[in-house]
């Protein structure tokens, strides 16, 4: 799922997003709650109409961003009190409020309100916040089940920080509740990748195979393929769109940093193996020029390429599941991105 934080995939119109093959995207409840307000979107006929995206929309509960974006937040058993990053006003978000907001948006897949556990975090604090997430999950479910004709479905979220036993415990607990899908949250928050992989393993083990498993906020092409091999089905990540706006592209030759001066007179396509609109019609030299000149078209063309790359990657991954050849993609990506990662860091 590409991420459309403010009810928009930055720099792309929804028609292009659809044409790239995406039939689902993620929008952030937190941002839409603060601006323009979910009641405005409800009045517009829901998020799909408001932003003119006819396919599926998954919304997060707002919890994660309250922790990452608010200068002030306080957790109580009842919910979270936080200050808006827009005007400093105090807002209270509880499990029932998170469900109501997502219903007003007309979300197809809603997420329960969870707590965001910082990294690192000691065992006791992690256990306390994980238990609170479980309590909120039950309240979200109760609130959801009280809606007479809900439009969307509601997913549960596994927490447990970076502790194997807490991850397993959380996965067992959340999967005992009748959600149609389960997410693994609280990863990609700065932990080393070995820990992330271990935590996914602890969670996946207890999540039913016949229901979707969704790894929130991950990741690079390699992270995704690795998690698919572990049994994960769904992903969202800002990486393809955010990296594009910073001039970092995913290509069949690894990372390309379009800001690099070596491209100033390089009239070859960004990725000769890519069939996207950008690669078929423009040169590296032109894309670099647009980027250096901060022309808005740079963001559009580069975002288009990165999302096309991710769409094609996921197509390959789906096929590889049938052919039992994920290992080959994994090896290819390992070589590719290790080789060019340093160069992009510069
Ligand atoms: Zn391309």
């Amino acid at each position: 799922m590409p991420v459309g934080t403010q009810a928009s995939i930055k720099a792309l119109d929804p028609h292009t997003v659809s044409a790239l093959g995406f039939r689902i995207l993620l929008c952030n409840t937190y941002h839409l709650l603060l601006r323009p307000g979910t009641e405005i979107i409800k009045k517009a006929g829901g998020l799909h109409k408001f932003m003119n995206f006819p396919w599926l929309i998954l919304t997060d509960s707002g919890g994660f961003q309250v922790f990452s974006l608010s200068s002030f937040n306080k957790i109580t058993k009842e919910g979270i009190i936080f200050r808006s990053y827009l005007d400093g006003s105090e807002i209270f978000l509880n499990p029932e409020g998170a469900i109501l907001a997502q219903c007003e948006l007309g979300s197809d897949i809603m997420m329960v309100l969870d707590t965001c556990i910082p990294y690192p975090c000691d065992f006791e604090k992690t256990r306390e916040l994980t238990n609170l997430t479980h309590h909120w999950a039950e309240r979200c479910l109760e609130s959801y089940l009280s809606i007479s004709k809900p439009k969307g479905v509601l997913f549960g979220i596994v927490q447990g920080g970076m502790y194997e036993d807490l991850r397993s415990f959380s996965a067992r607990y959340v999967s005992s509740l009748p959600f149609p899908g389960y997410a693994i949250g609280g990863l990609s928050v700065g932990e080393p990748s070995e820990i992330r992989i271990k935590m996914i393993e602890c969670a996946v083990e207890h999540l039913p195979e016949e229901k979707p498993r969704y790894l929130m906020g991950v990741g690079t092409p390699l992270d995704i393929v690795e998690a698919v091999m572990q049994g994960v089905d769904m992903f969202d990540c800002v990486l393809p769109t955010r990296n594009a706006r910073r001039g970092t592209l995913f290509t069949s030759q690894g990372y390309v940093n379009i800001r690099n001066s070596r491209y100033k007179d390089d009239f070859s396509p960004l990725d000769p193996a890519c069939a996207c609109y950008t690669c078929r019609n423009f040169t590296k030299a032109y894309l670099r020029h647009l980027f250096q000149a901060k022309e808005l078209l740079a963001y559009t063309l580069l975002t288009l390429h990165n999302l096309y790359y991710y769409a094609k990657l996921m197509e390959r991954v789906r096929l590889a599941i049938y052919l039992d050849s994920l290992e080959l993609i994994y090896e290819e990506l390992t070589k590719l991105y290790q080789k060019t990662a340093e160069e992009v860091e510069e």
Side-chain angles (χ1 to χ4, degrees):
M1 289 175 277
V3 176
T5 303
Q6 311 266 14
S8 146
I9 302 293
K10 292 189 198 308
L12 285 191
D13 64 274
H15 175 75
T16 305
V17 176
S18 299
L20 288 169
F22 293 101
R23 293 293 178 268
I24 181 167
L25 50 83
L26 178 145
C27 290
N28 293 117
T29 300
Y30 171 81
H31 290 276
L32 300 173
L33 194 66
L34 299 185
R35 181 176 58 195
T38 50
E39 67 287 353
I40 298 281
I41 294 175
K42 187 185 176 192
K43 222 169 157 182
L47 198 47
H48 298 73
K49 270 201 177 159
F50 190 54
M51 66 185 288
N52 193 29
F53 186 74
W55 312 104
L56 299 177
I57 298 175
L58 180 148
T59 51
D60 63 2
S61 66
F64 181 78
Q65 263 113 10
V66 166
F67 294 98
S68 57
L69 295 174
S70 296
S71 55
F72 165 83
N73 61 66
K74 187 170 180 280
I75 311 177
T76 69
K77 198 167 177 256
E78 282 313 303
I80 315 163
I81 305 159
F82 64 98
R83 271 191 218 291
S84 159
Y85 75 103
L86 292 173
D87 60 8
S89 61
E90 206 170 276
I91 299 167
F92 177 62
L93 186 65
N94 63 5
E96 294 74 20
I99 297 299
L100 176 69
Q102 293 178 85
C103 282
E104 287 186 328
L105 293 175
S107 168
D108 298 292
I109 303 178
M110 302 184 252
M111 303 303 300
V112 297
L113 183 65
D114 63 338
T115 58
C116 180
I117 301 169
Y119 176 77
C121 182
D122 68 51
F123 186 85
E124 261 322 301
K125 187 76 190 159
T126 305
R127 191 167 68 165
E128 188 189 311
L129 290 171
T130 300
N131 282 331
L132 188 57
T133 296
H134 297 167
H135 172 62
W136 287 355
E138 288 182 7
R139 277 174 55 184
C140 282
L141 191 58
E142 204 172 303
S143 165
Y144 172 79
L145 292 173
S146 72
I147 305 165
S148 62
K149 278 182 192 152
K151 174 180 178 284
V153 297
L154 176 67
F155 278 19
I157 304 180
V158 174
Q159 284 290 344
M162 304 303 164
Y163 297 95
E164 292 182 26
D165 40 358
L166 289 180
R167 275 281 160 192
S168 301
F169 166 66
S170 184
R172 284 198 305 272
Y173 192 94
V174 177
S175 64
S176 73
L177 301 172
F179 293 110
Y182 301 97
I184 304 168
L187 294 177
S188 264
V189 289
E191 76 284 0
S193 64
E194 312 86 73
I195 296 187
R196 189 188 68 242
I197 291 162
K198 188 72 205 164
M199 293 305 118
I200 295 170
E201 192 187 309
C202 292
V204 163
E205 203 184 344
H206 303 285
L207 299 177
E209 206 178 343
E210 70 279 9
K211 291 183 181 181
R213 299 166 177 152
Y214 161 33
L215 181 57
M216 304 182 83
V218 174
T220 66
L222 193 60
D223 295 338
I224 289 179
V225 173
E226 207 157 36
V228 170
M229 290 165 78
Q230 290 185 276
V232 176
D233 308 294
M234 295 172 63
F235 302 87
D236 79 274
C237 194
V238 294
L239 222 49
T241 45
R242 181 181 290 165
N243 274 3
R245 298 194 306 279
R246 291 174 180 174
T248 304
L249 291 316
F250 298 95
T251 78
S252 63
Q253 284 150 22
Y255 288 116
V256 165
N257 177 352
I258 201 67
R259 289 163 297 165
N260 201 308
S261 59
R262 83 164 83 145
Y263 301 130
K264 68 175 187 284
D265 56 356
D266 183 335
F267 303 107
S268 67
L270 175 58
D271 182 353
C274 178
C276 85
Y277 172 74
T278 303
C279 292
R280 280 187 290 110
N281 293 285
F282 305 95
T283 63
K284 287 198 196 77
Y286 180 64
L287 293 170
R288 178 176 186 275
H289 156 70
L290 290 181
F291 195 86
Q292 296 301 91
K294 297 190 170 62
E295 277 296 322
L296 299 181
L297 184 58
Y299 306 116
T300 298
L301 294 177
L302 297 177
T303 302
L304 191 156
H305 165 82
N306 267 1
L307 281 185
Y308 183 90
Y309 178 92
Y310 264 68
K312 287 290 156 196
L313 172 71
M314 297 319 287
E315 256 177 43
R316 282 185 69 195
V317 164
R318 283 190 285 269
L319 186 63
I321 292 172
Y322 287 108
L323 301 177
D324 200 16
S325 61
L326 279 167
E327 197 74 40
L328 293 177
I329 303 183
Y330 178 79
E331 279 166 24
E332 175 197 314
L333 294 178
T334 308
K335 281 189 210 132
L336 206 57
Y337 286 106
Q338 267 168 3
K339 194 182 67 178
T340 53
E342 267 175 40
E343 176 191 315
V344 168
E345 288 302 313
E346 71 190 21

